[in-house]
Amino acid sequence: REEVVLEPLPSKSLWQDERLPGADKFDPSRAAERVRAHLEAAGVPLAEVKRVVFSVPGTVDIEEAMAHLSEPVQVRNMPSFSPRFRGFNFKKEFAPVFPAAKVSAVPDNMAAALGVACTAPHVQNALVL
């Protein structure tokens, strides 16, 4: 198993398109395309990725996942007041980018805790800030 540390992809670069007219630059429709470009530029073999977890601000729709006995993938809201954003299904949107991967979305605080658990397994109790 190979671990690769990537350059960060700032949220603004992922979710916004500076070419859009007006003050609202939010453009979720091209997020997958932007992630693909970022990862391909870093040499990540996308077809070999088996697991993708997105850390997201907002509310992950656990009820939807439970109803279908699946991973949480639908985000109900994010801190965006853009009329262009009314929910986002990470599994659906990123399936073409990660054809062999299981895709999930988790709240950002849970992702931080998972990161600590993976990188510091010796830590038994901690407050993740």
Side-chain angles (χ1 to χ4, degrees):
R1 183 175 93 142
E2 182 181 354
E3 288 187 23
V4 178
V5 177
L6 303 173
E7 290 296 317
L9 176 60
S11 246
K12 183 177 180 179
S13 300
L14 173 60
W15 295 107
Q16 295 184 11
D17 184 349
E18 292 300 321
R19 298 172 298 179
L20 291 174
D24 183 6
K25 306 294 184 187
F26 196 71
D27 180 25
S29 67
R30 295 188 52 232
E33 178 183 318
R34 293 182 191 103
V35 168
R36 178 192 300 273
H38 177 72
L39 295 176
E40 285 177 343
V44 175
L46 299 176
E48 296 175 22
V49 174
K50 302 292 183 224
R51 189 75 164 105
V52 178
V53 178
F54 287 92
S55 168
V56 297
T59 304
V60 175
D61 193 344
I62 300 296
E63 290 174 17
E64 177 73 16
M66 296 297 283
H68 296 95
L69 299 174
S70 65
E71 291 288 313
V73 297
Q74 180 75 32
V75 176
R76 289 185 187 168
N77 64 345
M78 291 174 72
S80 164
F81 298 104
S82 172
R84 292 188 181 104
F85 184 82
R86 293 294 176 255
F88 192 81
N89 186 313
F90 282 82
K91 184 175 183 176
K92 177 182 159 218
E93 297 296 328
F94 284 92
V97 178
F98 303 106
K102 186 173 191 175
V103 176
S104 301
V106 299
D108 48 12
N109 56 346
M110 180 185 280
L114 286 170
V116 170
C118 291
T119 59
H122 61 281
V123 175
Q124 297 293 316
N125 293 300
L127 173 62
V128 179
L129 302 173

